Amino acid sequence: MNVTFFMQNPPKGYSGGRYFALLMAIATGRRGHRVTVISSNHSEQFEDLANLPGQQRINFIVSKRFEFSDYVNTTDIVLLVPSMSDDETLYLQASRCTAQFDARLILLNFESPNWFNSMSPKPRDEQLWRHWFTYGRLATSILCMAEESRRFAKDWFVYPDQTPRFFVCPPSVNDQVLRAASSAQEKRILVFARFSWSEQKGSQDLERLLCAEFSGHTLVLVCGLGQVPDEFVAKLQQKATEVGMSVEILCGLSEEAKAKEYRRAALVIFPSSFEGFGYPPVEALWGKCACVAFDLPVLREFTSKFTYFARVGDWEDFKNCMLQALQNGPKGGRFSRWRHARYFSLRSLGARLEREFNSAQKQPPNRHLLSEFQSSSSTAPGTG
């Protein structure tokens, strides 16, 4: 099978959505399929995954305008990885590739706006998702990362002339590097922070969690994208000093270094009020650390038995859960955690994707919509 991914990538830094898409490409290549990734930039994330089986099978093409004609001579599946960019070129090129090769288009849905705005403390304009909606009409299938995601997607991707197939394919983690990591556990509280356009992540409220009960612990902020504001760092360090804690900020960690931090941590905290999936509670399963998170349905879906849950938005309850987790340790036995974690392995992801790609190929292509798209070179499909 030939599978072509179209995606934007930041040249540097970490993006959870891009990470999932790259792992999908690698998992597909690992199954023996021919995979081409048409990317806007070189990707540090992709290069950091070089040791994974299947990565070397990927034909990774960098094209600012997502040109594919010189690199793709046939494809069965086009997987469109959307972004919040206003530039429509990514979508146009993915649709042209789909039409040219009579392929099946799959749209990756990270989160539909009706879901995001029902949970996030700061709603966003639904117009930010307009390209997702417009080109979802051309899709044979829409890939959702969770059942909770699919529930909202079915109510938003609604078209008068076609109904795409919605399927759930949870991400994988980099289980190879997480299994191999080794380090003694220390009095470290690990949090993955983000401050740019990410009010839902809760990073700006971390100061609320510092207290004398955590004296002797180090709060470790791992920042994968953007910068940590200086004013925030100064306030956090001042509060930490007052309560006998310390603060460590780590930026741009490699996969190996990130995995080692999970091993070093006594506790992972995840104070997000909205997630499309949520990697840290799942990645924590591979370590020996407990995990505390706000009680989001999507997190319950994947790590219900293994995460300490606090009431959403209740920082005092979150702090109490942290104290309980440090006292009692990780939830679930070692074997139970390992068995559950296997579902999120790269091997499992490859098998899930292969089943869904086979199912997509059995669906008739949206030829009438693609023909409508091809007949108009200046307007988006369905709007001309």
Side-chain angles (χ1 to χ4, degrees):
M1 190 184 305
N2 295 277
V3 182
T4 305
F5 288 72
F6 283 81
M7 60 189 297
Q8 289 185 333
N9 270 302
K12 295 182 180 296
Y14 174 88
S15 162
R18 312 303 112 181
Y19 185 70
F20 174 38
L22 291 170
L23 286 178
M24 282 200 296
I26 293 169
T28 302
R30 171 179 182 150
R31 300 286 293 187
H33 303 294
R34 294 180 59 190
V35 178
T36 300
V37 173
I38 309 294
S39 170
S40 56
N41 289 294
H42 289 284
S43 167
E44 278 189 344
Q45 282 185 287
F46 184 71
E47 293 167 3
D48 200 23
L49 298 169
N51 291 331
L52 289 180
Q55 197 264 16
Q56 301 300 325
R57 299 179 62 95
I58 310 301
N59 185 22
F60 193 93
I61 303 300
V62 177
S63 171
K64 294 290 186 184
R65 304 297 293 172
F66 305 99
E67 297 291 344
F68 63 89
S69 57
D70 291 338
Y71 314 106
V72 179
N73 54 31
T74 185
T75 193
D76 303 297
I77 300 289
V78 172
L79 206 150
L80 172 55
V81 182
S83 75
M84 289 294 182
S85 171
D86 190 53
D87 190 340
E88 199 173 358
T89 308
L90 167 71
Y91 306 86
L92 289 166
Q93 292 293 76
S95 300
R96 287 169 180 151
C97 185
T98 302
Q100 180 172 329
F101 298 110
D102 202 26
R104 308 304 188 269
L105 178 66
I106 296 177
L107 175 71
L108 173 54
N109 168 46
F110 294 114
E111 73 277 331
S112 52
N114 57 335
W115 184 26
F116 181 90
N117 287 336
S118 73
M119 301 286 292
S120 175
K122 187 174 181 179
R124 293 176 180 169
D125 187 348
E126 196 166 305
Q127 282 298 302
L128 291 168
W129 284 266
R130 65 188 180 279
H131 293 325
W132 301 33
F133 183 81
T134 299
Y135 289 85
R137 179 172 170 246
L138 295 179
T140 302
S141 307
I142 293 178
L143 187 162
C144 302
M145 296 186 289
E147 287 290 350
E148 185 74 358
S149 174
R150 176 162 63 177
R151 184 166 71 87
F152 282 87
K154 284 183 173 181
D155 290 336
W156 192 73
F157 290 97
V158 177
Y159 306 99
D161 51 0
Q162 83 111 349
T163 301
R165 177 176 178 269
F166 297 86
F167 70 92
V168 175
C169 182
S172 76
V173 299
N174 187 346
D175 57 299
Q176 177 173 296
V177 72
L178 288 167
R179 281 198 310 268
S182 177
S183 184
Q185 194 171 72
E186 304 171 40
K187 297 177 74 172
R188 295 166 72 84
I189 299 173
L190 182 65
V191 58
F192 291 83
R194 183 171 171 179
F195 297 88
S196 174
W197 213 48
S198 302
E199 294 83 0
Q200 77 279 7
K201 296 293 185 182
S203 301
Q204 66 277 2
D205 291 308
L206 288 172
E207 184 184 348
R208 296 188 185 195
L209 300 177
L210 305 188
C211 62
E213 287 84 350
F214 302 132
S215 178
H217 284 79
T218 299
L219 180 67
V220 182
L221 279 70
V222 176
C223 189
L225 191 64
Q227 299 297 315
V228 183
D230 292 338
E231 182 180 351
F232 169 83
V233 173
K235 289 177 63 178
L236 193 68
Q237 288 179 333
Q238 180 180 347
K239 179 66 177 293
T241 300
E242 291 172 0
V243 299
M245 297 180 65
S246 58
V247 175
E248 185 176 330
I249 298 175
L250 304 173
C251 297
L253 292 186
S254 67
E255 287 288 277
E256 288 77 10
K258 182 183 75 172
K260 186 176 180 179
E261 288 302 321
Y262 275 110
R263 295 288 184 173
R264 296 176 71 187
L267 177 64
V268 173
I269 60 173
F270 194 54
S272 179
S273 59
F274 174 81
E275 287 296 324
F277 173 67
Y279 275 102
V282 174
E283 290 176 327
L285 292 171
W286 297 90
K288 299 178 181 178
C289 51
C291 182
V292 176
F294 281 130
D295 194 356
L296 308 182
V298 70
L299 301 184
R300 285 274 184 186
E301 185 174 329
F302 296 118
T303 62
S304 179
K305 297 179 181 179
F306 307 101
T307 301
Y308 292 85
F309 287 110
R311 292 185 294 273
V312 177
D314 189 333
W315 291 90
E316 282 301 312
D317 191 38
F318 199 100
K319 190 188 302 181
N320 290 333
C321 286
M322 290 172 62
L323 292 168
Q324 182 184 359
L326 285 173
Q327 180 178 349
N328 297 334
K331 281 189 171 184
R334 184 176 179 182
F335 177 74
S336 179
R337 290 165 65 85
W338 171 79
R339 184 173 58 185
H340 188 71
R342 286 190 306 167
Y343 180 72
F344 304 100
S345 68
L346 199 64
R347 182 185 298 273
S348 295
L349 174 61
R352 288 194 290 274
L353 286 169
E354 188 172 74
R355 286 194 297 270
E356 296 302 339
F357 291 162
N358 286 332
S359 295
Q361 284 196 288
K362 294 176 183 176
Q363 303 297 315
N366 293 326
R367 290 194 180 95
H368 64 293
L369 297 177
L370 290 165
S371 296
E372 174 188 330
F373 164 75
Q374 284 186 299
S375 68
S376 174
S377 60
S378 60
T379 61
T383 63

